[in-house]
Amino acid sequence: MSLDKDQVQHIAMLARLKLADGEFAQTVEKLSRIVDFVDQLGQAKTDGVVPMAHPLHATQRLRPDQVVEVDDRDHIQQNAPLTENGLYLVPKVIE
Amino acid sequence: MNRSFEVVIGLEIHAQLATVSKIFSGASTAYGAAANTQACLVDLGYPGVLPVLNEEVVRMATMFGLAVNATIAERSVFARKNYFYPDLPKGYQISQYELPIVEHGELIIRDDTGNDKRIGITRAHLEEDAGKSIHEGLDKFSGIDLNRAGTPLLEIVSEPELSSAKEAVAYMRKIHTIVRYLGISDGNMQEGSFRCDANVSVRPHGQQELGTRTELKNLNSFRFVEKAINFEIERQIELIEDGGEVVQETRLYDSDRDETRPMRSKEEANDYRYFPDPDLLPVEIDAAYIEAVRETLPELPDAKQERFVDEYKIRVDDAAILTASRSLADYFEQVAAATRDRPQGVANFVIGELAGALNRDGLGIEQSPVSAAALAGLLDRVKDNTISGKIAKEVFEAMWAGEGSADEVIDARGLRQITDTAAIESVVDQVIAANPGQVAEYKAGKQKLIGFFVGQVMKATGGKANPGQVNKILKDKLG
Amino acid sequence: MSQDLHTQTLTQLSAGLDRGDFSSVELTEALLGRIETHGQSLNAFVTVTAEQALAAAKRADEARAAGNAGVLSGLPLAHKDIFCTRDILTTCGSRMLEDFISPYDATVVRRLADAGAVVLGKTNMDEFAMGSSNETSYFGPVRNPWDLQCSPGGSSGGSAAAVAARLTPAATGTDTGGSIRQPAALTGTVGLKPTYGRVSRYGMIAFASSLDQAGVITRSSADAALLLGVMAGFDERDSTSIEHPVPDYCASLSGSLKGLRVGIVRQHFDEGLDDKCAAVVKESLQVLESQGAILSEVDLPNLDLSVPTYYVVAPAECSSNLSRFDGVRFGHRAADPEDLLDLYCRSRGEGFGEEVKRRIMTGTYVLSAGYYDAYYLKAQQVRHLIADDFHKAFAEVDVIAGPTSPTPAFRLGDKIDDPITMYLNDIYTIGANLAGLPGISTPCGFVDDLPVGLHLVGPHWGEETILRCAHNYEQASAWHEACPEEYR
């Protein structure tokens, strides 16, 4: 297996994913197979090849500095699980 | 400061750019709106929405780069910095990583010994601000307000070339001055538009490699920057001297206790997984654009200071004070252009009386109740001997209080200076007659008593006699 | 008369509406009736918007009566549930968005609505478009109208099944690695993925931003051309949409194939392709030749690497794109979280299905410290090689033709436990996404009573050419008219 349990645990933590107990073992196994599969990229000769981030050679368009959005908070917050006085609530954050 | 240690400081300054809309959305950046009323779908990271770059931020970053003699990247790339935090709606911050828009700049500051010192600016990059967490009054919850999310920031990163808290402050002040000169940030520190993180380390003199650094966050005033860094330097030195080791960590400055302490929420080692943001394309800037922006650059503080010394022949220190803000410098120049008084006289009055009054009333130069033209009018009356320099202060206060122009105040209060020789002579005669003892002493050689006689004459004329004339007439009469 | 409305294509329906043979309300009612009858067994729809559809149909009829008909006035279609639809449930096939009511419309949705289209509902899909069989949907798998035991392909499986079963004449889809073309091939429909940047991605819930592109599943290339003309074009809300003129795609269909240079990829007929499929596809190539096309062989030497490249790039982008689903502002939120970390981990752990979690984790891994260069950066370099291969090929040919999928529809459950086998389904389609090229799949025959697709890929902005090629083929072959018996 190319990935061990600790690595998968670490990745799950970085990605903020809690895996159910039954899910964990098969995740290690399947992720390992995926990693083995993509490992074949290592064979490709890519010396000097520029990485390609976008399929087209376009450049960023700029928008004028204008306020075009209007307040739609109450409509938008109908999707929010928990709000109070317009604030989104989360368990207390300690800094 | 402990002499056996050398201090190494680098600053990361976040300057909020003065745009009306956000960096990637058309929501307003105005400060102080009700929670989440200025957070549009893009700012909230709603499913399906996409960022579009505000052209003003590119112009502003370019201006800054040119002002600090930096390289403007022909091609810069936005990247995602991935981490989870409630004030970061998308789970990533759009920033610039490998290819920032500004690189290799520099700044000259005055170091602790009063000499010029060059500080390198590693880079300045564009990024979006996060929202705010509110902890008070919500019991076991924190509340998230995303109005600030997506506000444009220019993060200005210095080389680790600052050697003391004072130098760090001098550098930060200079950046503050520059961004305000350029009009790209209001620099308002209370509202968080200009804030800084400091990387601080110490090492024994002579040691080559840098000591372990800590990152100080939450430094939102010049005073706190100085205090936090000084606290941290002392803490690190004590730690090392006691045989301990500095731990690389992020620390928060607590201004109430004047101390730094580790930030609990940042304990976990971060792996930000930066990668180019596929929703944004590379930003390309050509030479013509850069030149067009360069055309719009205002005279910068260093150049202005030099010109003030050359052109107005005022003292270097005064020039430095006057050019610390663009509007103060403009005010000075307007007064100097309008008055017949010497520029150094203008400088003295602006730095002394005017700055004192502004400071006392907590006003900016823009809000000064005495306009540049009005002040020039006042200084003209001193120059043409209508009033003395001393009376000028009284007139100024009256003008400040809204009693009118210099001439109106002088007339209304009858402050016009007495320059009629006959009138002064008559007062001098009365003073000599009334003080025979002092006259005898003076004649016996106690020359210092001339001051007493001048004082008596001025008292008798309500301060309105021309001091030069009084002096001369007294000396003539006393022989 | 209204008995057979479901059998007509958009082009035919449009003419019927123009003639006044039937009204849009009648047409909409007829199709809503079919969805009612067949929807459940196929599981093609997540949401049916009957009320809104009838209201839109009524408006369209009124507009037509007033002489204000738009290009699509009164024509029904369905949206893949990945497109945000204002005040309508938008689930993306996920428990995470089970109750998500979008507060806004995607640009694609807006443009089609502005042209007068009537939206029948939202179609089922693989969760967050991650899958090639429609089995990863939280709302259960979609079934293939040609064989209910088979998958319709994915991720736009609901759209493909709905069109194949004549529940709607057309549906939108999205294609990140083949998610329009592969289900089109597996259901005997036409699937068009335009050039990257041709159609706005705004309001399309992102899977992999540099690969995602919106398109359509229809009954004919002519219908695809009609819809593309409305959907395509620059959108100031999408930085990656390109300011490129939108031609009259319908007008471009009429030319012949005389002299059209068609490239056959040597590697496409290597191992991996089902023999019977290969035979069917080769036959279709001969049809093109008989219509005047000039066939020649071209090389895509890095074809084998396209799947592993894709399975680094797409998960990397998805791992970041899906971070916004954190249970705070929208979407699933775990009950009674102990603290912030627990809120995040459980909301996401519960809200996402297995395949989505697997891809997020794959993406997190390939971007993480120490692995970035070996995987992510390397994949971006190989992506460049693959794009170059295509550009070289297009110096010699106008169109590349081959199979859409290595096999016809497979049985539900057959591949779901083996991610690699599932991923290899996309081997012929992924290259177009990596290089940003337009591609179309059109029906070209049957293997064991299951449809097979002919895949045509063009150079950037080559939609007119591939549409013309597919349209000519359809006129000669008529495979696209085949309909499963129960749905005729």
Side-chain angles (χ1 to χ4, degrees):
Chain A
M1 274 265 218
S2 48
L3 294 181
D4 60 33
K5 275 175 65 178
D6 289 347
Q7 275 175 298
V8 173
Q9 199 72 66
H10 174 68
I11 297 164
M13 177 52 83
L14 272 179
R16 298 291 187 272
L17 290 172
K18 185 178 169 76
L19 301 178
D21 294 342
E23 232 178 325
F24 192 75
Q26 60 116 353
T27 301
V28 175
E29 188 256 333
K30 285 184 177 170
L31 273 184
S32 291
R33 279 166 62 193
I34 293 168
V35 168
D36 291 343
F37 175 68
V38 299
D39 266 338
Q40 53 180 302
L41 287 175
Q43 305 154 13
K45 287 202 172 57
T46 54
D47 299 339
V49 178
V50 178
M52 177 172 153
H54 285 284
L56 299 176
H57 297 289
T59 57
Q60 180 60 36
R61 197 182 59 82
L62 304 174
R63 46 166 269 270
D65 181 26
Q66 288 165 2
V67 176
V68 294
E69 299 288 351
V70 292
D71 172 30
D72 193 24
R73 183 185 77 183
D74 297 342
H75 180 220
I76 293 170
Q77 287 195 341
Q78 285 170 16
N79 277 308
L82 198 58
T83 59
E84 190 176 314
N85 296 329
L87 296 167
Y88 296 93
L89 297 191
V90 296
K92 193 154 205 102
V93 181
I94 307 144
E95 268 178 358
Chain B
M1 194 89 3
N2 193 308
R3 301 226 168 154
S4 56
F5 281 88
E6 184 189 355
V7 174
V8 178
I9 302 163
L11 291 191
E12 290 169 13
I13 293 173
H14 289 89
Q16 183 181 319
L17 296 176
T19 56
V20 298
S21 67
K22 292 186 178 173
I23 182 168
F24 298 119
S25 84
S28 170
T29 54
Y31 182 80
N36 289 309
T37 55
Q38 284 175 181
C40 72
L41 296 173
V42 174
D43 308 323
L44 293 168
Y46 244 65
V49 298
L50 296 167
V52 184
L53 185 61
N54 185 338
E55 65 183 358
E56 269 298 271
V57 306
V58 174
R59 187 185 68 80
M60 288 174 169
T62 304
M63 254 192 145
F64 176 80
L66 293 172
V68 297
N69 200 21
T71 311
I72 310 298
E74 282 173 35
R75 187 169 175 278
S76 62
V77 169
F78 282 96
R80 293 183 181 179
K81 179 181 184 180
N82 294 284
Y83 65 97
F84 286 88
Y85 206 67
D87 63 13
L88 187 72
K90 298 185 293 297
Y92 58 84
Q93 179 194 29
I94 306 177
S95 181
Q96 295 188 309
Y97 186 55
E98 279 181 342
L99 296 169
I101 188 161
V102 171
E103 277 188 291
H104 313 306
E106 62 181 1
L107 206 61
I108 308 295
I109 61 161
R110 211 176 283 187
D111 71 9
D112 292 349
T113 56
N115 294 317
D116 281 353
K117 177 172 177 181
R118 178 197 176 277
I119 305 297
I121 293 172
T122 317
R123 58 188 278 158
H125 66 253
L126 290 165
E127 62 184 27
E128 56 179 347
D129 206 346
K132 274 182 187 160
S133 306
I134 290 144
H135 308 293
E136 293 76 33
L138 291 164
D139 192 18
K140 51 191 199 300
F141 293 106
S142 291
I144 310 300
D145 175 8
L146 296 168
N147 280 347
R148 202 180 64 183
T151 300
L153 297 178
L154 186 67
E155 178 172 336
I156 304 156
V157 182
S158 83
E159 291 288 323
E161 293 176 344
L162 299 158
S163 314
S164 70
K166 270 178 78 181
E167 275 186 27
V169 171
Y171 167 84
M172 192 177 173
R173 277 192 192 281
K174 192 114 191 199
I175 297 279
H176 190 246
T177 304
I178 290 174
V179 296
R180 290 171 70 233
Y181 256 68
L182 298 173
I184 62 172
S185 175
D186 66 15
N188 189 323
M189 296 172 91
Q190 281 86 46
E191 292 176 8
S193 315
F194 193 84
R195 52 192 199 264
C196 131
D197 301 337
N199 290 304
V200 179
S201 69
V202 300
R203 61 179 166 193
H205 267 296
Q207 180 181 303
Q208 279 302 302
E209 64 271 25
L210 291 171
T212 305
R213 67 185 163 84
T214 56
E215 186 180 5
L216 308 182
K217 292 224 177 242
N218 201 23
L219 308 178
N220 55 8
S221 82
F222 295 118
R223 208 161 58 87
F224 291 169
V225 168
E226 185 160 358
K227 293 179 91 168
I229 291 176
N230 277 332
F231 175 89
E232 186 59 17
I233 292 169
E234 287 307 319
R235 190 189 70 86
Q236 291 188 13
I237 290 175
E238 272 176 40
L239 201 59
I240 293 169
E241 284 182 338
D242 291 350
E245 261 179 46
V246 176
V247 182
Q248 183 166 344
E249 63 187 355
T250 302
R251 298 177 71 87
L252 209 59
Y253 177 65
D254 183 337
S255 55
D256 294 337
R257 298 182 186 183
D258 187 25
E259 63 174 31
T260 68
R261 55 185 157 78
M263 252 176 105
R264 266 182 282 182
S265 57
K266 298 269 175 175
E267 263 169 39
E268 183 204 341
N270 272 313
D271 181 349
Y272 291 124
R273 288 158 285 137
Y274 280 100
F275 75 106
D277 190 332
D279 288 333
L280 291 160
L281 299 165
V283 178
E284 288 191 1
I285 294 178
D286 61 19
Y289 177 87
I290 294 173
E291 283 321 301
V293 173
R294 197 192 299 277
E295 289 296 311
T296 67
L297 276 186
E299 184 182 30
L300 291 166
D302 284 353
K304 201 182 279 282
Q305 182 181 329
E306 216 167 288
R307 180 169 64 80
F308 276 20
V309 173
D310 278 2
E311 189 178 323
Y312 297 112
K313 315 289 179 206
I314 60 175
R315 288 189 296 271
V316 178
D317 286 350
D318 291 346
I321 293 167
L322 290 171
T323 55
S325 118
R326 190 171 160 185
S327 33
L328 184 65
D330 288 348
Y331 186 99
F332 164 78
E333 291 207 274
Q334 285 163 21
V335 180
T339 180
R340 288 187 298 276
D341 194 7
R342 296 172 303 126
Q344 184 63 57
V346 177
N348 293 346
F349 206 93
V350 169
I351 292 168
E353 306 310 311
L354 179 75
L358 289 170
N359 202 28
R360 181 190 67 212
D361 293 357
L363 297 176
I365 184 71
E366 297 86 352
Q367 292 115 32
S368 170
V370 178
S371 71
L375 184 61
L378 171 61
L379 295 177
D380 279 348
R381 295 291 87 82
V382 180
K383 184 71 184 168
D384 66 13
N385 288 326
T386 306
I387 54 173
S388 67
K390 196 164 173 221
I391 290 293
K393 293 176 189 179
E394 183 189 336
V395 176
F396 176 75
E397 287 303 334
M399 291 166 75
W400 190 266
E403 290 180 25
S405 70
D407 287 335
E408 284 162 358
V409 172
I410 291 166
D411 288 342
R413 294 196 176 190
L415 296 174
R416 204 165 290 275
Q417 190 162 256
I418 301 165
T419 52
D420 174 358
T421 310
I424 295 172
E425 275 181 349
S426 119
V427 178
V428 168
D429 289 342
Q430 286 166 31
V431 168
I432 289 174
N435 297 287
Q438 278 83 354
V439 172
E441 280 182 62
Y442 180 87
K443 290 194 168 167
K446 204 167 176 192
Q447 300 280 315
K448 272 204 277 183
L449 273 175
I450 189 76
F452 165 78
F453 292 111
V454 172
Q456 291 300 308
V457 175
M458 295 310 276
K459 195 174 165 190
T461 59
K464 289 184 285 184
N466 179 295
Q469 279 172 292
V470 172
N471 238 305
K472 185 167 179 300
I473 293 169
L474 268 170
K475 279 183 178 161
D476 287 349
K477 297 225 176 217
L478 290 167
Chain C
M1 172 72 240
S2 66
Q3 261 10 56
D4 70 339
L5 288 179
H6 66 277
T7 65
Q8 302 186 29
T9 64
L10 285 178
T11 314
Q12 291 166 332
L13 291 168
S14 177
L17 285 168
D18 278 346
R19 283 192 306 267
D21 293 351
F22 49 87
S23 70
S24 176
V25 169
E26 288 172 294
L27 170 60
T28 304
E29 278 171 346
L31 291 170
L32 287 171
R34 282 187 66 81
I35 293 172
E36 175 112 20
T37 310
H38 300 289
Q40 219 148 33
S41 57
L42 291 169
N43 197 23
F45 282 84
V46 175
T47 305
V48 178
T49 51
E51 211 174 297
Q52 295 96 321
L54 288 168
K58 191 158 170 276
R59 282 196 303 275
D61 285 335
E62 286 162 5
R64 194 173 288 274
N68 298 328
V71 196
L72 302 178
S73 249
L75 294 176
L77 49 80
H79 285 303
K80 184 177 182 179
D81 210 14
I82 199 169
F83 290 100
C84 286
T85 41
R86 185 180 163 99
D87 296 336
I88 292 171
L89 189 66
T90 300
T91 68
C92 221
S94 181
R95 182 185 182 194
M96 183 59 86
L97 295 178
E98 195 180 359
D99 303 314
F100 179 71
I101 309 288
S102 172
Y104 76 109
D105 272 335
T107 299
V108 161
V109 171
R110 190 76 262 137
R111 288 193 177 172
L112 290 168
D114 287 348
V118 170
V119 178
L120 300 171
K122 308 288 293 288
T123 60
N124 200 350
M125 55 181 284
D126 276 302
E127 185 179 7
F128 283 100
M130 296 173 201
S132 309
S133 69
N134 232 289
E135 291 166 287
T136 72
S137 171
Y138 175 65
F139 303 97
V142 178
R143 292 172 183 275
N144 192 323
W146 292 94
D147 179 346
L148 294 181
Q149 300 309 309
C150 284
S151 157
S155 64
S156 312
S159 289
V163 173
R166 301 335 189 221
L167 309 186
T168 175
T172 54
T174 60
D175 192 314
T176 306
S179 279
I180 287 175
R181 294 160 290 159
Q182 183 253 18
L186 270 44
T187 58
T189 53
V190 173
L192 172 68
K193 174 203 108 70
T195 305
Y196 184 85
R198 175 76 290 181
V199 176
S200 169
R201 294 190 296 114
Y202 185 78
M204 189 175 120
I205 299 176
F207 160 16
S209 311
S210 79
L211 301 161
D212 295 343
Q213 183 62 197
V216 287
I217 293 177
T218 54
R219 300 255 309 282
S220 70
S221 294
D223 282 4
L226 177 67
L227 292 177
L228 181 62
V230 174
M231 289 163 67
F234 174 69
D235 177 9
E236 60 181 15
R237 286 187 177 274
D238 176 3
S239 297
T240 63
S241 86
I242 310 292
E243 293 184 85
H244 190 87
V246 179
D248 181 345
Y249 293 112
C250 293
S252 70
L253 299 169
S254 55
S256 85
L257 300 189
K258 203 158 243 33
L260 185 79
R261 298 171 301 165
V262 175
I264 314 300
V265 179
R266 207 165 283 126
Q267 291 82 359
H268 276 177
F269 294 89
D270 289 351
E271 56 171 327
L273 177 62
D274 175 89
D275 288 345
K276 292 183 202 163
C277 282
V280 166
V281 171
K282 279 178 180 165
E283 225 172 278
S284 70
L285 296 172
Q286 279 161 15
V287 173
L288 294 179
E289 195 170 28
S290 73
Q291 291 181 301
I294 303 157
L295 305 189
S296 64
E297 277 204 336
V298 292
D299 238 350
L300 293 177
N302 294 294
L303 181 75
D304 278 356
L305 292 173
S306 62
V307 181
T309 299
Y310 177 87
Y311 280 94
V312 170
V313 173
E317 293 182 10
C318 107
S319 71
S320 177
N321 281 337
L322 269 59
S323 292
R324 68 191 61 204
F325 300 100
D326 59 4
V328 177
R329 296 165 313 289
F330 44 75
H332 178 75
R333 180 182 181 110
D336 307 319
E338 281 170 29
D339 54 21
L340 182 67
L341 186 66
D342 189 47
L343 169 73
Y344 283 154
C345 294
R346 278 203 296 127
S347 298
R348 291 166 59 76
E350 296 164 3
F352 293 135
E354 273 180 34
E355 180 63 24
V356 171
K357 282 187 264 194
R358 198 144 56 222
R359 297 217 195 175
I360 291 174
M361 292 178 72
T362 306
T364 302
Y365 176 71
V366 299
L367 288 174
S368 65
Y371 299 98
Y372 182 91
D373 287 359
Y375 292 107
Y376 183 73
L377 203 65
K378 185 81 177 180
Q380 281 204 322
Q381 289 176 306
V382 178
R383 184 177 184 180
H384 207 154
L385 296 178
I386 292 167
D388 282 350
D389 288 349
F390 276 105
H391 296 149
K392 276 178 209 149
F394 282 119
E396 293 164 28
V397 298
D398 304 308
V399 173
I400 290 173
T404 308
S405 179
T407 64
F410 46 91
R411 295 175 76 82
L412 288 165
D414 267 10
K415 299 188 182 181
I416 193 69
D417 289 326
D418 182 357
I420 306 302
T421 314
M422 189 69 93
Y423 294 174
L424 286 170
N425 254 297
D426 300 331
I427 181 143
Y428 306 124
T429 50
I430 270 176
N433 299 86
L434 290 170
L437 306 167
I440 193 168
S441 177
T442 190
C444 71
F446 286 82
V447 166
D448 302 331
D449 300 325
L450 290 169
V452 173
L454 167 67
H455 187 215
L456 303 168
V457 176
H460 287 146
W461 316 110
E463 283 84 355
E464 288 168 281
T465 313
I466 58 171
L467 281 165
R468 177 162 55 97
C469 189
H471 178 72
N472 270 272
Y473 176 76
E474 288 161 18
Q475 299 311 301
S477 67
W479 290 115
H480 68 297
E481 288 173 11
C483 177
E485 221 177 282
E486 304 87 291
Y487 303 97
R488 281 176 193 158

